[in-house]
Amino acid sequence: MKKLMRYVAVAAALAAAPAFAGEAPAHNWTGVYIGANIGGGWASNGVGYAPNDPQASNLFFAGGKPPPASFDLSGVLGGVQLGYSLQMGSAWLIGVEADFDGSGVSGSGSTSGVFAPYYTAPFNAPVQQRIDWFGTVRARLGFLPTSNLLAYGTAGFAYGRVVQSGSWDTNTPFSFGGGAYTVNCAGVAPSCFAGSSSSVATGWTAGGGLEYAFLRDWRLRAEYLHVSLAGGSTTETVLGDTAGALPSSFNTAFGRVSLNTARIGLSYQFR
């Protein structure tokens, strides 16, 4: 990501240089534009656990509760943008923009332990999360230090498809209540409990960037956005054979997704 940020900074500097040197004709920013972008994203998240029934409570009480986990996400993203700008005088611009990006941003983490009555039975609790795609609808406010260079801030609504999963892995049978409740995980190794879920999460976004108008109808941009999406959860259900009780489960709660993005883009303005 540090390399990507350096590339974005270089692209912004290269875009700005001709404008300050007076090499391009004055540009009128009013109009509809469409374009494409590519870049990268990075984030960090965490997960916590809670039992859903007495059997899971017994497991957690015996020391089988997974410790909270934290993990990082990163990946490449890219997509399209569509917007409208209205130039106000020679120095200011207002507008609205919508974008939609496919995303390869993903990450995973795990915690482990040993639950008390079964000191020879360690467990591992891995989790995974990914962002398949996201989009934003934003207002833009820009300042024109020259007629061809725009510095802008932007904020608005964000949404995205977030997928998460988790498991509680051991290959050892265990029981509670004097054997009244028994789970045999030996035949379903490695996962004794597992679950996954997905949702279209909503939230907000804010950021800013530089945009340079070149030729007659083309714009080159470098942009940073912070995208905050609501957290999700999944239910991890027992996979092993149970005896003496109904199947058990516990909840795996993921924190809010705070995605940082750095992108470069190219747009065409219609007249």
Side-chain angles (χ1 to χ4, degrees):
M1 283 308 147
K2 291 182 179 179
K3 289 184 178 179
L4 177 62
M5 291 297 287
R6 286 199 295 268
Y7 295 153
V8 170
V10 170
L14 292 175
F20 286 115
E23 296 177 3
H27 182 76
N28 182 351
W29 292 80
T30 297
V32 175
Y33 59 89
I34 189 170
N37 65 79
I38 190 170
W42 66 99
S44 59
N45 208 341
V47 64
Y49 302 89
N52 290 331
D53 50 63
Q55 289 76 28
S57 296
N58 287 333
L59 174 64
F60 281 21
F61 180 77
K65 180 179 180 179
S70 60
F71 56 95
D72 295 325
L73 304 91
S74 63
V76 176
L77 49 86
V80 296
Q81 68 268 357
L82 172 67
Y84 175 79
S85 297
L86 176 64
Q87 185 171 340
M88 304 174 66
S90 61
W92 296 97
L93 175 149
I94 59 174
V96 62
E97 180 174 296
D99 60 12
F100 186 88
D101 277 24
S103 167
V105 175
S106 64
S108 62
S110 66
T111 56
S112 60
V114 179
F115 52 114
Y118 312 95
Y119 291 108
T120 59
F123 68 85
N124 185 50
V127 293
Q128 301 84 32
Q129 189 173 55
R130 71 175 192 266
I131 303 168
D132 285 345
W133 50 260
F134 71 93
T136 72
V137 180
R138 297 173 279 112
R140 296 206 308 168
L141 174 62
F143 173 71
L144 296 163
T146 75
S147 63
N148 295 82
L149 180 65
L150 172 69
Y152 64 90
T154 183
F157 173 74
Y159 60 98
R161 186 174 190 269
V162 182
V163 181
Q164 51 266 322
S165 62
S167 62
W168 189 91
D169 299 348
T170 187
N171 61 358
T172 302
F174 56 90
S175 63
F176 298 105
Y181 171 55
T182 300
V183 176
N184 183 3
C185 293
V188 294
S191 297
C192 186
F193 290 75
S196 63
S197 64
S198 64
S199 65
V200 177
T202 59
W204 57 270
T205 182
L210 293 173
E211 194 162 349
Y212 171 63
F214 66 101
L215 298 178
R216 181 176 181 269
D217 301 313
W218 292 94
R219 305 176 183 180
L220 177 67
R221 69 165 60 180
E223 181 181 69
Y224 165 82
L225 283 183
H226 178 80
V227 179
S228 179
L229 300 175
S233 64
T234 187
T235 299
E236 296 192 32
T237 302
V238 68
L239 302 179
D241 295 331
T242 60
L246 294 175
S248 179
S249 69
F250 59 85
N251 186 64
T252 305
F254 290 77
R256 194 171 187 88
V257 177
S258 294
L259 174 66
N260 300 287
T261 72
R263 305 182 294 185
I264 56 174
L266 185 66
S267 298
Y268 177 81
Q269 179 180 334
F270 295 95
R271 296 180 184 275

